Amino acid sequence: MNTDYYANGFKHASDRLIKALADLKALDTHEPETRGALRAEVRAILEQLDVAKDLINQEARKRLGD
């Protein structure tokens, strides 16, 4: 992994958001057959969103000095 690429938290957060959107689109086109599989996919998307939110907050605090 290129750590210089992720030195900017916003880039890392952007990648996480794009992944979450791709996973959501996959649910739209290929819905899982079981409730458990759907629940797992939704949980994974929510985790990606939480990580992105944390990365955005960290980068903003770093840049704003809070």
Side-chain angles (χ1 to χ4, degrees):
M1 175 192 284
N2 182 355
T3 56
D4 291 337
Y5 178 78
Y6 286 128
N8 180 340
F10 292 141
K11 287 182 184 177
H12 195 176
S14 175
D15 286 351
R16 293 292 183 131
L17 290 171
I18 290 169
K19 168 106 172 71
L21 286 172
D23 290 347
L24 186 59
K25 180 64 178 168
L27 280 180
D28 184 35
T29 55
H30 305 310
E31 185 173 332
E33 294 183 19
T34 65
R35 288 178 58 177
L38 177 59
R39 195 174 296 126
E41 290 292 329
V42 169
R43 194 175 311 122
I45 291 167
L46 292 174
E47 280 182 27
Q48 292 291 335
L49 294 173
D50 285 342
V51 169
K53 181 181 172 186
D54 290 342
L55 289 166
I56 291 166
N57 285 332
Q58 288 172 4
E59 188 66 22
R61 280 193 304 271
K62 183 172 80 175
R63 289 180 183 216
L64 298 173
D66 291 347

